[in-house]
Amino acid sequence: MEYKKLYNGINIPKVGFGTWQIGEGGDVIKVIENAFKSGYRFFDMAYSYGNEFFIGKALKNSNIDRASLFLQNKLWNDKLSKDDVVSACKRSLKMLKLDCFDSYLIHWPYRGENEDEVNYQRWLGMEAVYDEGLVKSIGVCNYSISDFENLKKYNVKYLPMINQIEFHPGINQKELIDYCENNNIVLQAWSPLGHGEILKNVKLETIAKKYNRTVAQICLKYNLEKGFIILPKSCNEKRMKENLNIFDYNLSVEDISLIDNL
Ligand code: A2P
């Protein structure tokens, strides 16, 4: 596995396992067990996925050394004040039976009345859980350039270390990608396979044949080449392995540019 380093020195694996919509109850435990077997050690979770309890059980059953895992969770939208953030983080840790998260992210920026101030107050909560040692890194999801500029305006103690956004072939996020890179914010891609819909694209099929890979592998590799950490999810063991098996080749500059223009 390859890693990316956050500006505070923490290493994150470049591939994580997405846990949204991976089934209900006991099915979740089975999927996570298969993900362990396939080699995943980074799990991207969220309060809103409603499966923390079952993922916690799978983690406990696995007996995998905690230090070899990278566990990321997300704060849901209704937690807006500093105190709300701290108690939500503690609640998620308890549900998963953990002492700390490797990263904790705001799931969506707040939109509504007094938005700048509310997003600032929430971020103070994120800084508090980081300073308390409940999490090893803090970041956001779905933030735009103006959301980051807002935090800068308030002179926050730490800027977000991560921004998780939707990214896959067919989405153009160049301005935001450049901004994050210039501000030491590591990018993560949610839905790196475009919800499975882009896998039938004829141009991608042609490129995949050329490299003797599947279209999914080409999409994931493209995301990596664009500097993203990827979070593919699959409930199928064969596809779980396929999605990890992407580190032994590179896409040519010409093919990356072809995919850029899809
Ligand atoms: P499945 O669980 O049956 O494998 P995204 O992460 O972009 O939202 O896409 C997730 C969808 O892509 C899921 O429906 C998943 O279905 C499917 N998927 C994941 N990996 C692969 C793969 N290697 N090949 C084809 N489909 C995949």
Short mmCIF file of all heavy atoms in Angstrom, two decimals, residues 37-39 41 45 50 59 66 109 115 121 139 142 144 183 187 194 202 217 229 241 249:
data_model
loop_
_atom_site.label_atom_id
_atom_site.label_comp_id
_atom_site.label_asym_id
_atom_site.label_seq_id
_atom_site.Cartn_x
_atom_site.Cartn_y
_atom_site.Cartn_z
N LYS A 37 -10.05 -9.41 4.86
CA LYS A 37 -9.39 -10.53 4.16
C LYS A 37 -8.77 -10.07 2.84
O LYS A 37 -7.72 -10.53 2.43
CB LYS A 37 -10.43 -11.64 3.85
CG LYS A 37 -10.42 -12.77 4.87
CD LYS A 37 -11.13 -13.99 4.32
CE LYS A 37 -12.62 -13.94 4.61
NZ LYS A 37 -13.44 -14.82 3.82
N SER A 38 -9.45 -9.14 2.18
CA SER A 38 -8.95 -8.65 0.89
C SER A 38 -7.75 -7.73 1.05
O SER A 38 -7.08 -7.41 0.07
CB SER A 38 -10.06 -7.89 0.15
OG SER A 38 -11.19 -8.70 0.01
N GLY A 39 -7.52 -7.24 2.26
CA GLY A 39 -6.33 -6.41 2.51
C GLY A 39 -6.61 -4.97 2.90
O GLY A 39 -5.68 -4.20 3.09
N ARG A 41 -7.23 -1.82 5.19
CA ARG A 41 -6.95 -1.46 6.58
C ARG A 41 -7.47 -0.05 6.89
O ARG A 41 -7.42 0.38 8.03
CB ARG A 41 -5.44 -1.53 6.86
CG ARG A 41 -4.88 -2.97 6.81
CD ARG A 41 -5.45 -3.81 7.95
NE ARG A 41 -5.01 -5.19 7.95
CZ ARG A 41 -5.65 -6.19 7.33
NH1 ARG A 41 -6.79 -5.96 6.67
NH2 ARG A 41 -5.19 -7.41 7.40
N MET A 45 -15.92 5.76 7.47
CA MET A 45 -17.24 5.54 8.09
C MET A 45 -17.94 6.89 8.27
O MET A 45 -17.37 7.93 7.98
CB MET A 45 -17.04 4.89 9.46
CG MET A 45 -16.15 3.65 9.40
SD MET A 45 -15.80 2.98 11.03
CE MET A 45 -14.53 4.07 11.61
N GLY A 50 -25.33 4.84 9.65
CA GLY A 50 -26.16 4.01 10.53
C GLY A 50 -25.60 2.62 10.81
O GLY A 50 -26.34 1.74 11.23
N LEU A 59 -14.72 -4.96 13.81
CA LEU A 59 -13.36 -4.56 14.21
C LEU A 59 -12.90 -5.38 15.41
O LEU A 59 -11.78 -5.88 15.46
CB LEU A 59 -13.32 -3.07 14.57
CG LEU A 59 -13.51 -2.05 13.45
CD1 LEU A 59 -13.62 -0.64 14.00
CD2 LEU A 59 -12.34 -2.12 12.47
N ARG A 66 -4.70 -2.54 16.30
CA ARG A 66 -5.29 -1.20 16.07
C ARG A 66 -4.32 -0.29 15.30
O ARG A 66 -4.73 0.50 14.47
CB ARG A 66 -5.70 -0.59 17.42
CG ARG A 66 -6.18 0.86 17.36
CD ARG A 66 -7.49 0.99 16.61
NE ARG A 66 -7.93 2.38 16.50
CZ ARG A 66 -7.60 3.20 15.51
NH1 ARG A 66 -6.81 2.79 14.51
NH2 ARG A 66 -8.07 4.43 15.46
N PRO A 109 -20.76 20.98 4.68
CA PRO A 109 -20.77 22.33 5.25
C PRO A 109 -22.20 22.73 5.61
O PRO A 109 -23.15 22.28 4.95
CB PRO A 109 -20.23 23.21 4.11
CG PRO A 109 -20.42 22.42 2.86
CD PRO A 109 -20.41 20.97 3.25
N GLU A 115 -24.33 31.53 8.16
CA GLU A 115 -23.55 30.36 7.76
C GLU A 115 -22.06 30.45 8.10
O GLU A 115 -21.46 29.48 8.60
CB GLU A 115 -23.84 30.23 6.27
CG GLU A 115 -23.02 29.43 5.44
CD GLU A 115 -23.67 29.34 4.03
OE1 GLU A 115 -24.89 29.16 3.90
OE2 GLU A 115 -22.90 29.45 3.08
N GLN A 121 -17.92 28.05 14.21
CA GLN A 121 -18.15 27.46 15.55
C GLN A 121 -17.98 25.94 15.51
O GLN A 121 -17.43 25.33 16.41
CB GLN A 121 -19.56 27.81 16.06
CG GLN A 121 -19.75 29.29 16.42
CD GLN A 121 -18.82 29.74 17.55
OE1 GLN A 121 -18.47 28.97 18.45
NE2 GLN A 121 -18.40 31.01 17.50
N GLY A 139 -10.64 17.14 9.33
CA GLY A 139 -10.87 17.63 7.98
C GLY A 139 -12.34 17.82 7.71
O GLY A 139 -13.17 17.84 8.64
N ASN A 142 -16.83 17.89 1.13
CA ASN A 142 -17.72 18.70 0.29
C ASN A 142 -17.56 20.20 0.53
O ASN A 142 -18.50 20.96 0.38
CB ASN A 142 -19.18 18.28 0.51
CG ASN A 142 -19.34 16.78 0.33
OD1 ASN A 142 -19.04 16.25 -0.73
ND2 ASN A 142 -19.80 16.08 1.36
N SER A 144 -16.15 23.91 -0.38
CA SER A 144 -15.74 24.68 -1.57
C SER A 144 -14.61 25.62 -1.16
O SER A 144 -14.31 25.77 0.03
CB SER A 144 -16.93 25.50 -2.06
OG SER A 144 -17.26 26.43 -1.04
N ASN A 183 -2.85 24.51 -0.54
CA ASN A 183 -3.07 24.78 0.88
C ASN A 183 -2.81 23.56 1.76
O ASN A 183 -3.28 23.50 2.90
CB ASN A 183 -4.51 25.29 1.10
CG ASN A 183 -4.67 26.73 0.65
OD1 ASN A 183 -4.39 27.65 1.38
ND2 ASN A 183 -5.10 26.90 -0.60
N LEU A 187 -6.70 15.49 -0.63
CA LEU A 187 -8.01 15.22 -1.24
C LEU A 187 -8.37 13.74 -1.15
O LEU A 187 -7.53 12.87 -1.38
CB LEU A 187 -7.99 15.63 -2.71
CG LEU A 187 -8.06 17.14 -2.95
CD1 LEU A 187 -7.47 17.50 -4.30
CD2 LEU A 187 -9.51 17.62 -2.85
N GLY A 194 -18.08 6.66 -9.79
CA GLY A 194 -19.27 7.34 -10.33
C GLY A 194 -20.53 6.55 -10.06
O GLY A 194 -21.39 6.44 -10.93
N VAL A 202 -17.73 3.75 -23.26
CA VAL A 202 -17.00 3.05 -24.33
C VAL A 202 -15.54 3.49 -24.40
O VAL A 202 -14.63 2.66 -24.58
CB VAL A 202 -17.71 3.30 -25.69
CG1 VAL A 202 -16.96 2.61 -26.83
CG2 VAL A 202 -19.14 2.80 -25.63
N GLN A 217 -10.77 -0.42 -12.55
CA GLN A 217 -9.36 -0.18 -12.19
C GLN A 217 -8.81 1.08 -12.87
O GLN A 217 -8.03 1.81 -12.28
CB GLN A 217 -8.51 -1.40 -12.55
CG GLN A 217 -8.75 -2.57 -11.59
CD GLN A 217 -8.05 -3.83 -12.04
OE1 GLN A 217 -8.04 -4.16 -13.23
NE2 GLN A 217 -7.47 -4.55 -11.10
N ILE A 229 -6.89 10.36 -2.65
CA ILE A 229 -7.03 9.10 -1.92
C ILE A 229 -8.39 8.58 -2.34
O ILE A 229 -9.35 9.36 -2.45
CB ILE A 229 -6.98 9.38 -0.40
CG1 ILE A 229 -5.54 9.66 0.01
CG2 ILE A 229 -7.59 8.24 0.39
CD1 ILE A 229 -5.38 10.04 1.47
N LYS A 241 -10.97 -6.98 -4.07
CA LYS A 241 -9.54 -7.23 -4.36
C LYS A 241 -9.12 -6.46 -5.61
O LYS A 241 -8.04 -5.87 -5.67
CB LYS A 241 -9.29 -8.73 -4.55
CG LYS A 241 -9.36 -9.48 -3.25
CD LYS A 241 -9.02 -10.95 -3.43
CE LYS A 241 -9.23 -11.68 -2.11
NZ LYS A 241 -9.81 -13.01 -2.27
N TYR A 249 1.03 -0.32 -12.15
CA TYR A 249 1.13 0.27 -13.49
C TYR A 249 0.73 1.74 -13.41
O TYR A 249 0.14 2.17 -12.40
CB TYR A 249 0.23 -0.48 -14.49
CG TYR A 249 -1.23 -0.19 -14.31
CD1 TYR A 249 -1.93 0.62 -15.21
CD2 TYR A 249 -1.92 -0.70 -13.22
CE1 TYR A 249 -3.27 0.91 -15.02
CE2 TYR A 249 -3.26 -0.41 -13.03
CZ TYR A 249 -3.92 0.40 -13.93
OH TYR A 249 -5.24 0.70 -13.72
#
